[in-house]
């Protein structure tokens, strides 16, 4: 079967009903059944050639378990304040995670910010930005993570499941309140200001154009880049992997049992006499958890 047949296979694999369609095709006409058998055989050939090695490697990487994702295991997978502190820890080069400033440097590179010396960066959580006038009393503003690198200040406001917080004493949205507080704080005068609105999907704020949308997937991608750059100690590598796996299991709402499901599907897909649906389900589950799979395959 040529490229046109491969295109047909790709379409079938992409369809959520593909497995059911093929498994229930016993009552189809002889010609239809012959086409289905031909497609299934081509799929198996392509899978063996292109994915069998990957599936076996996935099994070898996970057979002894995975780096323990502490927050997710402890049931704090969606508590913003814990993940904000967790993120700040790995962005702080003075902490004993073994990464130095590599993760912060990689994040700045992702943001296309260059020429910044991060060696003496100051990383603060729940940073007081200042006060703004309110209806009956001043409104204090606190940002989840604030990083000061010389003349650069990076603000990160983290929202895992909620939107911008309302305040009964102000009509302004949360990020607009922060903008006003930043403008009125002399600490931030004459600085380059970069504002990040961090959410699972990287959505932009509809009310404040000053804040750039960044996703948890972006943070994971930045970390995978650090892992692939090499030069990390075993401890640093392990610490970073635990952090990134936690990001993928917590804010991105991936359950740990997804990993076990992938392991079981990989075992079925690579076994003798593997069924079409075993391989199809493995492909679909891997696609649904691509960032997590990339992390696990880093070894």
């Amino acid at each position: 079967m040529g490229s046109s047949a491969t295109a047909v296979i790709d379409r079938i694999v992409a369809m959520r009903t593909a497995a059911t369609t093929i498994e229930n095709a016993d009552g189809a006409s002889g010609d239809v059944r012959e086409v289905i058998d031909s497609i299934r055989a081509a799929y198996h050939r392509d899978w063996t050639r292109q994915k069998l090695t990957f599936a076996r490697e996935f099994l070898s990487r996970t057979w002894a378990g995975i780096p323990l994702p502490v927050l997710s295991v402890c049931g704090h997978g969606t508590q913003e304040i814990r993940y904000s502190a967790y993120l700040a820890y790995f962005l702080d080069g003075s902490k004993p995670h073994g990464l130095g400033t590599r993760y912060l440097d990689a994040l700045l590179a992702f943001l296309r910010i260059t020429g910044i010396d991060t060696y003496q960066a100051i990383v603060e959580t729940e940073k007081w930005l200042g006060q703004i006038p309110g209806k009956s009393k001043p409104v204090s503003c606190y940002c989840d993570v604030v990083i000061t690198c010389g003349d650069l200040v990076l603000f990160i406001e983290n929202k895992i499941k909620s939107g911008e917080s309302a305040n009964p004493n102000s009509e302004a949205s949360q990020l607009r309140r922060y903008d006003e507080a930043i403008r009125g704080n002399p600490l931030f005068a004459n600085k380059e200001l970069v504002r990040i609105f961090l959410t699972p999907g990287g959505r932009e704020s509809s009310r404040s154009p000053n804040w750039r949308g960044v996703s948890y997937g972006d943070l994971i991608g930045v970390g995978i880049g650090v892992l692939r750059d090499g030069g990390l100690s075993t401890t640093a590598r392990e610490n970073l992997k635990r952090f990134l796996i936690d990001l993928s299991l917590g804010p991105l709402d991936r359950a740990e049992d997804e990993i076990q499901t992938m392991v079981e599907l990989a075992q079925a897909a690579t076994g003798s006499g593997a069924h079409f649906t075993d391989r199809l389900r493995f492909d679909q589950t891997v696609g649904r958890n691509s960032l997590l799979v990339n992390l696990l395959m880093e070894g």
Side-chain angles (χ1 to χ4, degrees):
M1 298 182 69
S3 58
S4 60
T6 301
V8 171
I9 294 168
D10 290 340
R11 287 197 297 272
I12 290 177
V13 172
M15 293 171 59
R16 297 179 63 183
T17 58
T20 302
T21 300
I22 291 178
E23 290 307 301
N24 293 336
D26 291 332
S29 68
D31 289 344
V32 172
R33 184 67 199 180
E34 184 177 340
V35 170
I36 290 172
D37 286 344
S38 179
I39 290 175
R40 177 159 40 190
Y43 178 83
H44 276 297
R45 287 196 302 271
D46 284 353
W47 200 94
T48 299
R49 184 173 64 251
Q50 298 174 10
K51 299 179 180 180
L52 179 60
T53 299
F54 165 80
R56 287 174 173 166
E57 178 69 10
F58 177 81
L59 284 174
S60 72
R61 298 280 186 175
T62 56
W63 74 271
I66 64 170
L68 185 65
V70 179
L71 288 188
S72 297
V73 168
C74 293
H76 301 303
T78 56
Q79 294 192 20
E80 290 169 355
I81 191 169
R82 296 176 185 274
Y83 273 89
S84 296
Y86 204 10
L87 172 62
Y89 180 85
F90 280 89
L91 289 170
D92 189 341
S94 69
K95 300 300 184 185
H97 41 58
L99 297 168
T101 64
R102 291 189 186 205
Y103 190 65
L104 175 57
D105 291 337
L107 177 60
L108 293 179
F110 169 79
L111 298 171
R112 299 183 184 279
I113 299 171
T114 59
I116 301 298
D117 182 4
T118 57
Y119 181 70
Q120 294 185 330
I122 299 171
V123 181
E124 301 171 277
T125 58
E126 289 298 302
K127 169 75 171 177
W128 187 73
L129 303 180
Q131 289 183 331
I132 64 170
K135 295 176 183 177
S136 59
K137 61 181 180 179
V139 176
S140 288
C141 300
Y142 296 85
C143 187
D144 290 324
V145 182
V146 177
I147 304 172
T148 304
C149 304
D151 291 331
L152 172 76
V153 184
L154 176 64
F155 304 88
I156 303 176
E157 183 60 22
N158 180 25
K159 296 295 181 185
I160 295 179
K161 287 196 171 180
S162 62
E164 295 182 52
S165 301
N167 187 295
N169 201 35
S170 175
E171 297 292 340
S173 65
Q174 182 180 13
L175 296 184
R176 284 193 177 276
R177 296 196 304 270
Y178 287 8
D179 285 338
E180 186 175 349
I182 290 168
R183 280 195 301 271
N185 190 330
L187 286 176
F188 307 128
N190 302 315
K191 302 278 190 180
E192 179 183 358
L193 307 179
V194 179
R195 301 170 228 214
I196 298 300
F197 187 44
L198 175 62
T199 65
R203 72 177 185 271
E204 300 285 342
S205 169
S206 61
R207 300 174 180 177
S208 181
N210 294 326
W211 294 76
R212 172 177 172 176
V214 171
S215 72
Y216 268 82
D218 293 331
L219 294 184
I220 295 168
V222 166
I224 289 175
V226 174
L227 289 171
R228 290 177 176 170
D229 283 345
L232 296 178
S233 68
T234 301
T235 298
R237 187 176 182 83
E238 190 75 3
N239 285 338
L240 181 56
K241 282 194 67 177
R242 289 172 189 267
F243 167 62
L244 298 176
I245 290 172
D246 237 327
L247 293 189
S248 66
L249 291 177
L252 292 184
D253 249 356
R254 293 290 185 258
E256 283 178 88
D257 56 13
E258 284 278 78
I259 298 175
Q260 184 57 37
T261 296
M262 283 189 285
V263 170
E264 292 171 356
L265 290 173
Q267 290 171 335
T270 57
S272 59
H275 201 275
F276 173 87
T277 53
D278 294 328
R279 291 178 167 179
L280 177 62
R281 288 168 185 153
F282 176 71
D283 290 346
Q284 290 172 330
T285 308
V286 166
R288 190 168 62 245
N289 296 277
S290 58
L291 286 172
L292 179 56
V293 170
N294 287 342
L295 278 172
L296 296 174
M297 294 298 288
E298 281 300 308

